[in-house]
């Protein structure tokens, strides 16, 4: 199976602009999660989508939003970009059971989108 | 509030020796733990996992140990190889995945 793919891989924006990142999960995976990675902060959870519904949300401002389509592909949008939004944005997919979040499932990551805000 | 902590930002080990990476967590409700390996400019790659009903899981050169009473897990790599040089993240599964800040492992030839 093909792995998780993310586009674009690199992006340069200026403050105040908005950006949309895309993620295609592994075929058959219905859960997609987004993370922000910055130096020294590890992976910070943004949100998780399952069957087009946001099921969990991390502690990020409302400028960060996402959605999931019927084919499980997901997009993440950041509006009014700030310098501090410069980071590696990672998408991960997993094959969830119907009984609840994660359980014993494993997340598989894409290569990430490197966003630089100038 | 960091629920999963990796207190050693970096670790250097000689090739052939054992590498031990440590991870602590605060939430006793976590029931599944994972280790990921990350190379620069790539996404994290799943390495090994362990359920809270076990205290050890082994996969080749990689072994994960879980001490639930201490809320501590560790990853042992034996023998360490230069290709193991990467950043290692531990993660715990609750209502979401919680990741540590990573430990950069350097294996010296």
């Amino acid at each position: 199976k093909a792995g998780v793919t993310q586009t674009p891989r690199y992006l340069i924006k200026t403050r105040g602009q908005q950006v949309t990142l895309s993620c295609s999960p592994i075929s058959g995976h219905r859960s997609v999660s987004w993370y922000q990675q910055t130096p020294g902060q590890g992976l910070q959870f943004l949100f998780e989508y399952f069957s087009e519904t946001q099921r969990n949300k991390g502690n990020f401002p409302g400028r960060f939003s996402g959605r999931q389509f019927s084919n499980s592909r997901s997009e993440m949008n950041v509006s009014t970009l700030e310098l501090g939004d410069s980071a590696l944005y990672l998408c991960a997919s997993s094959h969830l059971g119907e009984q609840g979040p994660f359980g014993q499932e494993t997340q598989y990551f894409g290569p990430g989108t490197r966003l630089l805000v100038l | 509030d960091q629920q999963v902590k990796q207190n050693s930002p970096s670790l250097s080990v000689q090739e052939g020796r054992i590498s031990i990476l440590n991870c602590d967590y605060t939430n006793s409700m976590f029931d599944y733990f994972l280790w990921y390996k990350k190379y620069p400019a790539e996404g994290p790659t799943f390495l090994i996992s362990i359920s809270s009903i076990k205290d050890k899981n082994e996969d080749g050169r990689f072994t994960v140990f879980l001490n639930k009473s201490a809320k501590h897990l560790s990853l042992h790599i034996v023998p360490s190889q230069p290709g193991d040089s990467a950043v290692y993240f531990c993660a715990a599964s609750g209502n979401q995945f919680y990741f540590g800040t990573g430990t950069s492992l350097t294996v010296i030839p």
Side-chain angles (χ1 to χ4, degrees), chain A residues 25-100:
Chain A
I26 291 171
S27 177
H29 286 193
R30 296 166 64 191
S31 170
V32 173
S33 296
W34 288 90
Y35 294 86
Q36 181 195 66
Q37 186 193 8
T38 53
Q41 292 295 314
L43 277 70
Q44 301 293 313
F45 174 72
L46 281 154
F47 27 66
E48 181 238 345
Y49 286 88
F50 179 77
S51 292
E52 303 178 65
T53 301
Q54 186 182 92
R55 296 199 339 160
N56 284 298
K57 188 177 189 305
N59 189 27
F60 277 81
R63 300 186 296 108
F64 293 81
S65 63
R67 59 178 176 168
Q68 186 180 34
F69 302 95
S70 59
N71 61 358
S72 294
R73 190 177 69 86
S74 178
E75 287 182 348
M76 189 192 99
N77 185 76
V78 187
S79 62
T80 319
L81 283 165
E82 301 176 358
L83 296 179
D85 296 333
S86 295
L88 179 67
Y89 290 89
L90 292 160
C91 165
S93 75
S94 63
H95 180 61
L96 288 179
E98 295 295 334
Q99 65 270 24

